[in-house]
Amino acid sequence: MSIPNTADVVIVGGGVAGCSIAYHLTKLGIADVVLCDRKQLTSGTTWHAAGLVTQLRATRNMTELAKYTGELFRELETETGQATGFKQNGALRLATHDARFEELKRGVSMARNFGLEADVISAGEVCERWPLVEAEDIVGGIWMPNDGQVNPADVTMAMAKGARMRGARIFEHTPVESLIVENGKVRGVKLSDGEIRADRVVIAGGMWSREFAAQNGVSLPLHAAEHFYIVTEQMPELSRELPVLFVADECSYYKEDAGKLLLGCFEPEAKPWGHQGIPDDFCFDSLPEDFDHFEPILDMAVKRVPALANAGIQLFFNGPESFTPDDRYLLGETPEVEGLFCACGFNSVGILSSGGVGKALADWINDGHPPMELADVDVRRMHYWQSNKSYLFDRTKETLGLLYKMHWPYQQYETARNVRHSPFHDRLVSLGASMTEAAGYERPGFFARDGRSTEIGYSFGPQSWFEDARAECLDTQTAVTLFDQSCYVKFRVEGRDACRILNNVSAGNVDVAVGKVVYTQWLNPRGGIEADVTITRLSETAYLVVTIAASQTRDLSWLRRHIPDDAAVVVTDVTPGLPMLALMGPKSRALLEKVSGADLSNAAFPFGTSQEIAVGYATVRASRLTFVGELGWELYVPADFAVHVFDKIVEAGQEFGLSHAGFFALNSLRIEKGYRHWGHDIGEEDTPIQAGLSFAVDYAKTDFIGRDALLAARDAGVPKKRLVQFQLPEECRKMLYHEEPIYKDGKIIGSITSGGYGHRLDRSMGMGYIHSADGVTRDFVNSGGFEIEIACERYQAMASLSPFLDPKNERIKV
C-alpha cells in the first residue's frame, strides 16, 4: 500500500489514542484517514500499560468519556473479531484512615450524579471480594462493579482493525518529520521522502509530542517519567475474576494477570526521564531496573497481601509514560495553529480514557467544536511557558504521585513553584501571606493571623485557614481589604475596528461611552459561554479586556480566531505590565479618596465606570467593580509604579482599618453573592439564560456570535436547566465543593458546581444547576424539598434564584 499525497485527516502516532481517533473518525464517515507511526503500533507507551479500565473521574464529562470507553471495550471484540482481553471484574478502593474514607464516599456520591454503580463497603466485605488482602487496618472501601481491565495492545489492534475496515490507512515505520504550516493553518505533514497534504492533523505521539510540536511553535507541556510495576510468578490461589484493587494510601494497585499478580505504583517522588530527548530508536524498550526505588512500595505490599512473600517475581518492569503539569491530558485544537489537534500527555490514564478521547476528538474534528464541555483537558488551558523543560522536569517529580495522594480541596502543588510573581509578592509575604498557585502565578490564599502557620492543614471540613479567611471576609464587610489580583489577564484591543470586532464576539454591547465597563460573555454559536469578561472602553478605538488567569491562552486564541484578516485591530496581552489591586469594603471610598484626592462619589464615579486617578506619583486606572459584593474598586497599576502605589495605600489604610485578603476569602465572598466563575459555574455548555446572566446580553444587537441560539432559547420559554444558589442550615458545618448531588423530593435533579463557606451569612453554601422537565421557575425553586448529598449522607438545603446576600445590590452601589 503506497502512502497517499493527500488525506482528510493525518494522525501522527499509533498508540491507543491515535488508533482510537482513527477508529472514531471512520465511524463518522471520514474514511480518508492516514495514520503514521514512527515504528510499530503500541511501541511507545501503550504496549506496557497496565490496562486498568475505571470509570469514575473528577468531573462529570471526564467520567462520561471513561464510561464510554468501558462500553466500547465490551463491544469491540464482537465488532472487529480482534480479541481485547476485556474483563468486567470490578474494582475495589480501600481506605486506611478516615480522611481517605471520606474522599471515597464523596466519590460514591459523585458517581450517583453520573448513574454509575458504586457502593460503600466494610473491611469484611473487602475480604469477601479479595480474600488475599490483609484488612485489619482498613476502615472501609468502595466497590465499583462495572470497572475492569483490558489488554492494551489487543484493544489498540482492535481499534486499528476497525478503522481499516472502514477505509483508514495505517503506515508503520513511517516517521513524520515535521508539520506543514502556512499562514497559521496546518496544511499537512512532511515525511522523509515526501509529504501528505491535509487540512487537519492530529498529534497523538505520546512522550514525543512536545518536541515534535515545538518545531512549529506549538506548546504541548508534558514530560516522561519512569513508571514501575512487577509481575509475580504463577499464584494458584488467585481467582481469574479477582477485582482490580487500589490502595492509594500505599501508592499501589493490584491486577490479576493470567494467574499472576501485577503490582504497580505511583510513588510520591517520581523519576523524570528523557529530559535530554528520547532516543530515535526507542521501541518496545524498557528502562533500567531500580529496585531500591520500588522497594518501599513492595514492603507495604507484602504486608497488605502476605501471599506476595512466597511468590517469586517473574518481571520487574520500568517503562516511561508522559505526565502534564496538572495531571490532566492535552486534548483539542491547538491555539497556535488552526486545524492542528492533539491527544497526548495521558498521565497513566490513556487506556481508560482512550475510547472517550477518540470519540470526542473525532466529533470535534468533524463538527468544528467539542461535543461537550472539555475545559478540564482542553490544551488551551496550558500556557506557553509551561513547555519549559526545567519546569516540566521539576513538576513531573510530583505529578505522578499526585494520582494516588489525597485529593484535598484547595490542594497546592509543591514543585516548580515561584514561577510568576506580582510586583507585590515580597510585601505580601512579609505581611503573612500564604501563597497559592494559579496558572503559575503566586497569589495569596490567606493571611495568617494570631500566630497561625502559613502552611495549609488540609481536610474536607474547615481547613487550617478557616478562621483567617473568616476574619478577611468580615473585614471586607465592615471596613476595607486589599486583594492582589494581578494574576487576572488583561488584553488591550485597539484599532478602528476594535469596537466592531468586540461587539461581534461579545453578547453585551461594548459600543458605549469612554470610561464605561461592560460585563459580558463571549459565546459560541450554540449559545454556550466560552469566556466571562469585563471590557472597558478606553477611547474611541481602544478597549481593555479582563479575564481569569486560567483562561489566558484560551481567551486570547478565541479572540484572535474571530478577527478577520482585513480588520484594523491589534490585540496585545498586557498582563505582566499591568498588575491589579482590588480595594473592597465600605471604607474603600474614603481610603481611595484620601490617597488620590479624587471625587469618588456616586455622582462623580458611578458603579460600572472607569477613570484614571492619581495615587502618589502614579496614574492608576480605577474601575468601580466588585467580585465580593461590597463597595470597591479595581486598580490597574503600571508595573514600574506598582510597589509605590501599594505602599501609599497601605500607609494611608492604617486610619481606615485596612487589612489584606486572599483568594480563599474571595471565593467565599463571591459564593455568597452568587457571582459565577468560568470553568466551574459557567462554561461551553451553559447559556447566559441558564446561568442567570441574561442581564449581560444585549438582544437588541443585530449580530453577535451565539445570538440566534440565545433568541431561540429565550423564545422557548422557561429554561429546563437553571443555576441556583444553595445554603445549608446554620448547624450543618459540612463543606460543599463540587459535584455533590442535589435532590428534590427524593430524586437527583442536579449537582453542585462550586461551593464555599459564607462567613458573612455563617452558612455553608454553593451553586449548582438543577433540571425540571416543566421548567425551573421561581415557584419550583421556592417550593423547597431540596437536599444535598455529601459523602453519602443527605442534608436539607435552601435554594434561591436570587443571591442570599444583598439581592438588591445595595452594598455595591452605596
Side-chain angles (χ1 to χ4, degrees):
M1 181 170 56
S2 60
I3 298 174
N5 296 322
T6 63
D8 284 342
V9 182
V10 174
I11 300 169
V12 183
V16 70
C19 290
S20 178
I21 295 162
Y23 171 86
H24 286 92
L25 283 169
T26 60
K27 288 195 78 170
L28 291 174
I30 303 175
D32 189 12
V33 175
V34 173
L35 184 151
C36 298
D37 191 87
R38 53 184 292 276
K39 295 292 185 180
Q40 293 173 253
L41 299 186
T42 79
S43 64
T45 296
T46 297
W47 71 277
H48 63 73
L52 309 180
V53 184
T54 58
Q55 298 177 80
L56 182 61
R57 314 308 302 158
T59 63
R60 176 179 298 274
N61 286 339
M62 293 301 98
T63 299
E64 291 296 337
L65 296 186
K67 279 178 62 179
Y68 170 79
T69 299
E71 293 163 1
L72 173 67
F73 289 173
R74 278 193 289 272
E75 306 296 331
L76 198 56
E77 183 171 343
T78 301
E79 176 192 345
T80 65
Q82 166 70 47
T84 63
F86 178 71
K87 288 198 302 183
Q88 190 173 298
N89 48 331
L92 289 165
R93 298 178 185 273
L94 310 188
T96 63
H97 54 85
D98 290 339
R100 177 71 74 178
F101 198 27
E102 177 165 357
E103 177 186 82
L104 293 178
K105 288 188 289 185
R106 282 178 175 264
V108 169
S109 290
M110 188 189 307
R112 290 170 182 164
N113 272 327
F114 313 144
L116 286 181
E117 189 175 349
D119 299 300
V120 178
I121 60 175
S122 66
E125 291 171 304
V126 168
C127 291
E128 291 175 7
R129 290 179 169 86
W130 230 92
L132 298 180
V133 73
E134 170 55 57
E136 183 177 353
D137 61 337
I138 297 298
V139 298
I142 64 172
W143 165 244
M144 302 199 69
N146 293 323
D147 287 350
Q149 60 193 69
V150 73
N151 183 301
D154 286 348
V155 82
T156 303
M157 293 304 181
M159 287 192 284
K161 183 176 180 180
R164 286 190 182 105
M165 288 165 58
R166 288 184 290 269
R169 288 166 286 185
I170 296 176
F171 298 93
E172 297 180 293
H173 302 287
T174 307
V176 175
E177 293 188 343
S178 63
L179 300 167
I180 301 171
V181 178
E182 298 169 358
N183 298 318
K185 299 179 181 180
V186 75
R187 290 292 182 248
V189 299
K190 291 182 180 179
L191 309 177
S192 60
D193 56 353
E195 60 184 39
I196 307 172
R197 304 290 292 190
D199 291 338
R200 291 166 295 182
V201 174
V202 182
I203 300 175
M207 54 191 170
W208 288 271
S209 298
R210 180 178 62 86
E211 291 192 4
F212 177 77
Q215 296 177 88
N216 290 90
V218 174
S219 174
L220 297 180
L222 55 83
H223 198 292
E226 299 183 29
H227 187 45
F228 300 86
Y229 60 74
I230 63 168
V231 180
T232 68
E233 295 176 344
Q234 288 285 331
M235 296 178 65
E237 62 269 45
L238 286 184
S239 165
R240 292 299 179 98
E241 300 305 317
L242 196 69
V244 179
L245 179 70
F246 298 92
V247 190
D249 295 326
E250 296 165 359
C251 314
S252 58
Y253 63 89
Y254 303 79
K255 184 191 85 164
E256 188 278 332
D257 186 4
K260 308 164 189 175
L261 191 63
L262 183 152
L263 164 65
C265 71
F266 290 89
E267 67 277 18
E269 184 171 350
K271 296 179 65 179
W273 180 80
H275 187 60
Q276 301 304 324
I278 300 169
D280 291 339
D281 59 353
F282 194 88
C283 176
F284 295 115
D285 290 311
S286 61
L287 304 179
E289 295 182 2
D290 188 345
F291 192 80
D292 290 341
H293 188 79
F294 189 79
E295 188 174 18
I297 304 297
L298 185 58
D299 288 345
M300 289 187 287
V302 169
K303 295 174 184 175
R304 182 61 56 203
V305 183
L308 279 173
N310 300 315
I313 297 177
Q314 183 183 78
L315 172 67
F316 185 106
F317 186 80
N318 178 13
E321 297 194 24
S322 58
F323 293 81
T324 63
D326 60 2
D327 261 342
R328 291 178 276 144
Y329 48 85
L330 308 176
L331 188 69
E333 188 174 15
T334 65
E336 298 92 346
V337 177
E338 191 173 341
L340 178 64
F341 296 82
C342 66
C344 53
F346 281 100
N347 307 282
S348 283
V349 297
I351 302 300
L352 67 90
S353 303
S354 59
V357 162
K359 185 178 188 304
L361 196 63
D363 287 341
W364 197 333
I365 292 169
N366 186 56
D367 299 335
H369 60 81
M372 62 177 75
E373 169 74 72
L374 292 172
D376 281 349
V377 293
D378 193 320
V379 65
R380 293 174 296 170
R381 77 186 184 278
M382 307 307 280
H383 303 265
Y384 192 81
W385 61 267
Q386 289 179 297
S387 281
N388 178 281
K389 289 172 63 175
S390 297
Y391 165 81
L392 289 169
F393 182 88
D394 291 341
R395 176 57 63 85
T396 300
K397 294 177 183 179
E398 179 181 15
T399 49
L400 181 147
L402 287 178
L403 292 171
Y404 277 23
K405 284 186 72 173
M406 286 292 299
H407 299 101
W408 296 114
Y410 308 108
Q411 187 167 15
Q412 300 297 308
Y413 293 106
E414 297 177 2
T415 55
R417 291 292 299 272
N418 291 306
V419 176
R420 306 171 85 181
H421 285 178
S422 82
F424 316 114
H425 179 269
D426 291 348
R427 294 286 200 276
L428 298 171
V429 170
S430 70
L431 291 165
S434 173
M435 286 296 177
T436 60
E437 183 230 6
Y441 263 107
E442 298 293 320
R443 62 187 196 178
F446 67 97
F447 288 80
R449 303 186 182 202
D450 302 327
R452 283 187 284 269
S453 171
T454 57
E455 296 295 318
I456 297 176
Y458 294 112
S459 78
F460 287 103
Q463 296 191 355
S464 61
W465 45 265
F466 187 82
E467 292 302 325
D468 296 300
R470 176 179 179 82
E472 293 168 20
C473 292
L474 297 182
D475 284 346
T476 306
Q477 179 184 29
T478 60
V480 57
T481 53
L482 190 64
F483 296 82
D484 176 15
Q485 294 178 218
S486 299
C487 62
Y488 282 32
V489 174
K490 306 100 184 172
F491 307 138
R492 187 177 175 94
V493 183
E494 52 193 327
R496 69 170 182 267
D497 291 325
C499 180
R500 175 173 65 85
I501 297 300
L502 284 173
N503 245 349
N504 175 254
V505 172
S506 306
N509 188 2
V510 303
D511 192 3
V512 293
V514 173
K516 179 67 176 173
V517 184
V518 178
Y519 169 63
T520 187
Q521 288 76 45
W522 293 349
L523 309 180
N524 56 47
R526 291 139 356 252
I529 300 171
E530 294 285 342
D532 187 57
V533 300
T534 61
I535 301 177
T536 303
R537 189 161 202 172
L538 306 177
S539 71
E540 288 300 310
T541 58
Y543 291 84
L544 181 69
V545 177
V546 180
T547 186
I548 59 173
S551 292
Q552 187 167 16
T553 302
R554 177 193 182 93
D555 291 356
L556 185 59
S557 170
W558 182 266
L559 179 57
R560 285 177 169 164
R561 290 274 172 93
H562 289 91
I563 298 175
D565 292 340
D566 60 351
V569 62
V570 175
V571 180
T572 307
D573 187 338
V574 296
T575 304
L578 199 62
M580 189 262 275
L581 295 168
L583 193 65
M584 297 289 152
K587 296 182 181 180
S588 59
R589 175 181 282 121
L591 171 53
L592 197 54
E593 284 183 332
K594 179 168 184 175
V595 296
S596 68
D599 179 1
L600 304 183
S601 65
N602 273 322
F605 207 140
F607 180 79
T609 63
S610 181
Q611 301 177 22
E612 288 189 336
I613 62 175
V615 177
Y617 299 147
T619 299
V620 172
R621 174 159 295 281
S623 297
R624 189 174 166 192
L625 301 169
T626 182
F627 197 53
V628 303
E630 304 286 352
L631 174 70
W633 278 262
E634 294 177 352
L635 306 176
Y636 298 88
V637 190
D640 47 352
F641 283 92
V643 173
H644 169 69
V645 169
F646 180 90
D647 290 344
K648 287 292 183 183
I649 292 173
V650 171
E651 180 183 0
Q654 298 179 28
E655 176 186 341
F656 302 93
L658 174 72
S659 62
H660 298 269
F663 275 78
F664 292 160
L666 187 71
N667 185 61
S668 168
L669 294 160
R670 69 100 185 166
I671 287 282
E672 286 178 298
K673 188 61 178 150
Y675 289 146
R676 283 66 166 144
H677 188 273
W678 193 91
H680 293 96
D681 311 302
I682 52 178
E684 298 171 49
E685 293 187 289
D686 312 309
T687 69
I689 295 172
Q690 296 165 335
L693 296 173
S694 289
F695 67 89
V697 179
D698 186 346
Y699 290 98
K701 287 200 312 179
T702 58
D703 185 36
F704 63 87
I705 298 170
R707 180 177 184 269
D708 291 345
L710 279 195
L711 288 175
R714 186 187 66 175
D715 294 344
V718 178
K720 295 177 173 56
K721 164 187 165 184
R722 289 286 298 274
L723 188 66
V724 176
Q725 194 177 25
F726 292 91
Q727 65 177 11
L728 300 181
E730 182 177 5
E731 65 274 11
C732 181
R733 305 289 281 185
K734 290 290 184 178
M735 298 295 177
L736 299 175
Y737 295 112
H738 73 106
E739 296 291 3
E740 292 88 354
I742 301 168
Y743 291 79
K744 183 173 172 64
D745 301 327
K747 296 181 179 179
I748 294 178
I749 62 165
S751 61
I752 293 296
T753 53
S754 65
Y757 196 87
H759 293 285
R760 289 173 294 186
L761 297 174
D762 205 17
R763 296 286 193 283
S764 184
M765 308 184 71
M767 288 184 279
Y769 287 97
I770 60 174
H771 302 257
S772 171
D774 297 324
V776 181
T777 63
R778 192 169 293 274
D779 287 344
F780 177 82
V781 174
N782 292 341
S783 64
F786 293 97
E787 293 177 301
I788 299 176
E789 181 178 321
I790 306 170
C792 299
E793 296 185 20
R794 297 187 200 175
Y795 301 87
Q796 291 184 345
M798 182 183 297
S800 175
L801 283 174
S802 303
F804 286 114
L805 181 82
D806 188 25
K808 296 183 180 179
N809 291 327
E810 294 172 341
R811 296 189 186 187
I812 66 176
K813 296 183 178 179
V814 64

